[in-house]
Amino acid sequence: MSFSGGSRDRQAGDDMSAPRAPFRFGVVLVSEACSRAEWVAKCRRAEELGYDVVSACEHVNLPSPFPSVILAAEATERPRIGIYVLNTSFHNPTLLARDVVTVDQFVEGRLELGLGTGYVEWEFQKTGIPFGTPGSRVDRLETTIGELQRLLSDPEHPKSVQRPHPPMLVGGHGNRVLRLAARNAEIVSFVGAQYRPEYGRMVIAPAEEMVERAEFARRAAGSRADEIEYNILSKATVITKDRRSALDQVRRFAPHLDDEQILGAPTVSIGTPQQIAEQLRENREVYGINYITVMEPAMEAFGKVIEAMR
């Protein structure tokens, strides 16, 4: 079976020559006004479906991430527990280090810590925190990562269960954030999308651009390239026997791409569970991506893909 998409078909072997890492699958739960019982049920359902990581996210209209992940850990046994991702502009690094240690202790070393710049301007306005520029938000992310690494390695600072700290996931698409992630994080997450003012929203990158982004991250990682994990945030999963019939369901994510480019993009999964499983295996070969994260609306559909891969 062939998945077209320009540079997807090229051999990236020289840059993607690391041994194949085992697949991992994560889901980000995003429910608003979620009761305790509802949250517990969602977490347990994610575990039943085979997800390896159950995550909360951070937005001001959603439940707070730290208590959410502690409850997720209490409700489940096998999955790791993630925050995908914290807005570092909202957190004092010293206080954040304290919270990270506390949560990792309470979830018995299952925490994965996602860190990002924040991108929703109205949330900054709501909290009274200056939105700044993309550059200033990356500055804050870089400072926070450095301070967390310093504090959590300090012999006099309280220690997390995981040493020297829980694995950090840093995601982005531009050069500066990907370089920062590749040089510091245990997990590099490809957002696979960027803001386009003509559309007024984020739109997904085509396959050839994603090949370049993956190669850029590996070069930036240098000697760490084979030691870190590569993640992608999936935008949509559509289970169907007719891939082209489902294009209208995902076209809003890619108004600038043609049909073949959409079908070839690694950030959308369209087809039968077996077809999508094959696409994910190809993505691992081409981009080095072994860790796939989906959002809650795709949890059930992507669960069928996980079943097909195990």
Side-chain angles (χ1 to χ4, degrees), residues 203-265:
V203 297
I204 63 174
E208 58 269 22
E209 184 175 330
M210 289 302 300
V211 167
E212 187 277 329
R213 293 289 76 197
E215 293 175 347
F216 176 89
R218 288 187 64 86
R219 288 195 302 271
S223 61
R224 303 180 70 239
D226 293 343
E227 300 172 5
I228 57 184
E229 190 171 26
Y230 299 92
N231 168 267
I232 195 165
L233 178 61
S234 175
K235 303 299 183 292
T237 301
V238 182
I239 303 297
T240 178
K241 293 181 179 179
D242 183 354
R243 300 180 76 220
R244 293 185 180 279
S245 71
L247 283 169
D248 286 344
Q249 298 181 52
V250 301
R251 204 176 299 280
R252 69 185 184 280
F253 298 113
H256 59 311
L257 301 183
D258 62 30
D259 289 358
E260 295 300 323
Q261 289 176 311
I262 294 174
L263 291 173

Side-chain angles (χ1 to χ4, degrees), residues 106-186:
F106 286 179
V107 304
E108 299 180 311
R110 293 162 63 188
L111 179 65
E112 289 186 4
L113 180 65
L115 301 168
T117 61
Y119 62 93
V120 183
E121 186 170 5
W122 72 262
E123 293 187 318
F124 284 79
Q125 294 170 345
K126 191 81 170 178
T127 58
I129 296 171
F131 186 53
T133 64
S136 67
R137 294 194 297 279
V138 177
D139 288 341
R140 182 59 182 263
L141 174 61
E142 185 170 11
T143 297
T144 299
I145 291 171
E147 281 296 286
L148 285 176
Q149 290 173 329
R150 181 184 68 82
L151 289 166
L152 296 175
S153 300
D154 184 343
E156 301 200 359
H157 192 276
K159 293 292 177 287
S160 58
V161 174
Q162 302 175 88
R163 302 295 179 87
H165 52 72
M168 294 184 188
L169 175 151
V170 177
H173 189 73
N175 284 358
R176 191 175 171 199
V177 175
L178 283 181
R179 186 182 298 113
L180 179 64
R183 293 178 178 176
N184 294 276
E186 285 71 38

